Amino acid sequence: MEKRNDKMHELFRAMPEDKLPASFRERLMQEVAKEAEIQQRRSDRRGIWIASITSLLLVSLVLVFFVCFKMPGFRIPGFNMGEIAFYFSIGCSALGLLGLDYLVRRKLEKKAALSNKSKNQE
Amino acid sequence: MELYTDTYYIQRIRAGHIESFACLADRYSQTVFALIVRVVQNREDAEELTQDVFLKVFRKLDSFKGDCAFSTWLYRIAYNTALSAVRKKKLEWLTIDDSTLNNFADTAVDNGLDFETTEARIVLLEKALDQLSPGERALILLFYKEEKSIEEIALISSLTQTNVKTKLFRIRKKLYGLFKQMED
């Protein structure tokens, strides 16, 4: 059968061919771009699902270990109001000093800029 | 001259450069359309189906393993898409029974189809093709028009090579019968 050098072949080759419209490529590529966007969104969604499920599994695993097997054996220490007040006062003083530093620097910079300006005018 | 191979474009598309798909479409859209339009016998449907074929190719590109040529894989999708579209429409076509086909001697078929290519003959061929079943049209077009080998046609149509050969042989006989009918 594999003889294609017959007259039938010539006849088929001479047969006129329907042509695709010139706009076909543009339309196809628009559809392809839409499809690519859908695929991208689908893959993003899949990624979010995988991350969420993995996180949930990890949290469940930790809870199971913590509740059922009491592992790892750590304890959250109770709050001591005296200590909190001490650390809070230190934090406040540090923040106050930082603010003061910022204000003083700004004032000094302004002064320096003004004196430079008057020197240049002279 | 072809600058880049299909594999090069496929790799680029897989890497996210979807504009490379236009190059594959430029290379194959016309031939795929020519095949589909002959199978479904409707220009508008064929245009839509050709677009469907290329969209399917784009969607399934990751599943293309490269165990056959890209064009073979593409034609397989085109062949299945066109035939399932025709099956949905439930069109009717001429059937010639085995006894009629057996009446034609093989040599008579060979000699009978050995004629000069003329305008009138081409018109006759087109009319005869219209009377074949869509599957038969697809097979004979793949063999003569697209110049695919028996092995490729077997891959495209999911038939065995022996089956393809037998079918092509019978289609040639059928065409000869139709030619004779139209000439008489």
Side-chain angles (χ1 to χ4, degrees):
Chain A
M1 184 63 225
E2 191 105 32
K3 57 165 190 181
R4 216 189 275 120
N5 53 343
D6 56 13
K7 297 281 183 191
M8 189 76 129
H9 185 214
E10 274 177 35
L11 208 58
F12 269 92
R13 282 177 66 179
M15 212 163 55
E17 228 174 51
D18 281 276
K19 295 276 175 218
L20 267 173
S23 60
F24 177 81
R25 184 190 205 257
E26 198 182 318
R27 273 189 287 130
L28 174 67
M29 287 314 288
Q30 277 173 0
E31 291 300 315
V32 166
K34 271 187 212 165
E35 185 59 37
E37 212 172 285
I38 291 169
Q39 280 184 356
Q40 184 60 47
R41 245 182 282 151
R42 205 176 292 153
S43 122
D44 288 350
R45 232 178 292 150
R46 202 182 302 137
I48 291 169
W49 270 107
I50 290 171
S52 313
I53 289 167
T54 314
S55 312
L56 274 173
L57 276 173
L58 283 172
V59 168
S60 323
L61 210 67
V62 166
L63 279 174
V64 164
F65 269 83
F66 194 67
V67 173
C68 301
F69 305 109
K70 307 279 182 222
M71 281 167 71
F74 64 82
R75 187 176 64 83
I76 300 165
F79 293 109
N80 184 338
M81 285 311 286
E83 273 179 26
I84 290 172
F86 171 70
Y87 288 119
F88 184 74
S89 64
I90 289 177
C92 284
S93 329
L95 267 173
L97 284 169
L98 261 173
L100 202 67
D101 177 66
Y102 170 73
L103 288 172
V104 171
R105 274 174 197 274
R106 208 168 68 165
K107 215 171 189 178
L108 287 174
E109 275 168 11
K110 264 186 188 174
K111 237 183 197 174
L114 272 172
S115 63
N116 277 343
K117 219 178 184 181
S118 58
K119 267 183 193 172
N120 287 341
Q121 278 173 353
E122 279 170 15
Chain B
M1 196 184 80
E2 289 180 351
L3 273 176
Y4 297 108
T5 60
D6 293 345
T7 319
Y8 169 80
Y9 290 125
I10 291 165
Q11 278 169 355
R12 278 189 60 84
I13 298 161
R14 280 176 179 163
H17 302 275
I18 59 163
E19 67 282 355
S20 294
F21 193 75
C23 303
L24 286 180
D26 287 344
R27 193 171 281 178
Y28 295 109
S29 57
Q30 184 52 54
T31 47
V32 166
F33 173 71
L35 174 74
I36 294 178
V37 81
R38 290 269 175 208
V39 175
V40 300
Q41 295 176 310
N42 182 302
R43 223 194 121 81
E44 283 74 36
D45 287 352
E47 260 183 59
E48 213 169 287
L49 288 169
T50 308
Q51 188 166 304
D52 283 355
V53 167
F54 280 94
L55 281 176
K56 275 182 195 169
V57 166
F58 182 74
R59 274 186 216 124
K60 294 178 179 175
L61 205 58
D62 284 333
S63 69
F64 173 64
K65 299 280 180 282
D67 43 8
C68 62
F70 171 75
S71 63
T72 308
W73 184 68
L74 169 69
Y75 273 103
R76 193 192 301 166
I77 294 174
Y79 175 88
N80 290 327
T81 307
L83 288 191
S84 48
V86 176
R87 252 178 245 132
K88 274 179 206 158
K89 284 204 162 183
K90 290 178 182 157
L91 296 173
E92 284 185 4
W93 51 85
L94 183 87
T95 48
I96 297 178
D97 55 28
D98 285 356
S99 55
T100 318
L101 286 182
N102 290 337
N103 286 340
F104 306 133
D106 297 349
T107 47
V109 175
D110 281 339
N111 297 333
L113 292 173
D114 192 20
F115 35 60
E116 288 310 307
T117 304
T118 60
E119 286 283 319
R121 285 282 178 192
I122 293 168
V123 173
L124 271 185
L125 174 66
E126 286 187 320
K127 280 184 184 166
L129 275 177
D130 288 348
Q131 296 195 51
L132 295 177
S133 75
E136 290 171 332
R137 266 200 303 274
L139 288 179
I140 200 88
L141 284 163
L142 282 169
F143 186 70
Y144 281 118
K145 189 86 176 153
E146 307 303 329
E147 301 182 350
K148 298 281 175 201
S149 66
I150 298 288
E151 195 188 346
E152 281 175 303
I153 298 173
L155 283 171
I156 291 167
S157 60
S158 307
L159 296 167
T160 61
Q161 288 190 38
T162 323
N163 211 341
V164 172
K165 279 183 197 171
T166 316
K167 275 183 183 277
L168 284 172
F169 186 71
R170 285 175 57 81
I171 298 166
R172 266 171 63 90
K173 265 193 172 182
K174 206 168 172 178
L175 278 177
Y176 169 72
L178 288 166
F179 270 125
K180 276 196 70 137
Q181 251 180 34
M182 283 188 274
E183 277 173 344
D184 291 343

